[in-house]
Amino acid sequence: MSNQKMKGLAKELKTQFTIIGIFIAIFWIIEIVNQMFFGDRLDYFGIIPRSVVGLRGIILAPFLHADFPHLIANTLPFAVLGWLVMLQETSDFYIVSLCSILVSGIGVWLFAQTNSITVGASGVIFGYFGFLIMRSYFQKNTRSIAISLLVFFLYGGMIWGVLPSNPHISWLAHLFGFLGGIWAAKLIAREKSV
């Protein structure tokens, strides 16, 4: 590999890690501020089903977490899967994130239990998972297949998170986030084939 390519790769990796780092820093800063200064009341900006005011949560909920254990549980999978989404193109991260946020949020807003509030980045994480698993189906290239196999090996157990289990965990956010990731995989594959 030439020196020029090595520098380009190093620059791309630095950009990717910076993007992931900024998102994780935002999650942590918001949770620290929420716990220390607002007594956890910022969570009311999450998704409130079938409520006009709850629509704001579609965009805000991924940045809010119920508590520090919830945030800790989301941090590593967000970093790893988010970075894997970027491996072919860094811009894929933004498309997949947006599709996952919108589909997960709208699904929760439409179908979640009345008077509930949903917060957390897990819908986005499941979107990354859905994208990474299904990208190889839509793109059919060696790199996509290799990444899909790696993700399935490392995170395949996540698939059970799209089914109802714990009443305190929004399986709907997981399911619709997963579907949003698949939608993003199809959109990106179509864009690359044009």
Side-chain angles (χ1 to χ4, degrees):
M1 190 178 280
S2 71
N3 195 24
Q4 184 82 0
K5 284 187 178 180
M6 287 296 288
K7 284 182 180 180
L9 179 62
K11 184 179 178 187
E12 189 70 17
L13 282 173
K14 182 179 177 184
T15 300
Q16 293 170 350
F17 291 152
T18 300
I19 292 166
I20 294 290
I22 288 169
F23 273 88
I24 290 173
I26 291 169
F27 294 161
W28 277 88
I29 290 166
I30 289 173
E31 189 58 28
I32 290 166
V33 168
N34 189 22
Q35 296 293 326
M36 291 182 68
F37 301 107
F38 292 98
D40 218 20
R41 289 188 302 275
L42 291 182
D43 289 352
Y44 291 105
F45 288 92
I47 302 167
I48 303 168
R50 295 165 302 284
S51 158
V52 173
V53 73
L55 286 168
R56 67 186 175 197
I58 292 171
I59 300 299
L60 299 177
F63 297 94
L64 302 166
H65 289 81
D67 50 31
F68 286 112
H70 183 209
L71 176 55
I72 290 166
N74 279 340
T75 299
L76 185 61
F78 180 89
V80 173
L81 294 174
W83 178 66
L84 289 172
V85 166
M86 294 182 191
L87 276 185
Q88 287 193 23
E89 283 190 44
T90 302
S91 61
D92 290 350
F93 175 81
Y94 298 110
I95 296 166
V96 178
S97 296
L98 184 60
C99 289
S100 301
I101 288 169
L102 291 175
V103 175
S104 177
I106 291 168
V108 168
W109 188 84
L110 288 172
F111 299 110
Q113 184 178 346
T114 304
N115 298 322
S116 64
I117 299 175
T118 301
V119 295
S122 59
V124 178
I125 293 166
F126 272 81
Y128 296 160
F129 178 65
F131 173 79
L132 291 164
I133 293 295
M134 294 304 294
R135 174 168 59 185
S136 61
Y137 173 78
F138 294 110
Q139 293 186 9
K140 294 176 179 54
N141 63 48
T142 306
R143 184 186 279 182
S144 293
I145 293 167
I147 293 170
S148 291
L149 291 172
L150 175 68
V151 169
F152 192 77
F153 177 74
L154 294 175
Y155 288 98
M158 279 180 62
I159 196 67
W160 301 111
V162 303
L163 300 173
S165 57
N166 184 334
H168 302 291
I169 296 174
S170 178
W171 67 275
L172 286 168
H174 298 175
L175 172 62
F176 285 104
F178 183 77
L179 295 174
I182 294 171
W183 177 47
K186 186 174 182 176
L187 289 175
I188 289 171
R190 186 183 303 150
E191 175 188 302
K192 290 181 196 277
S193 69
V194 173

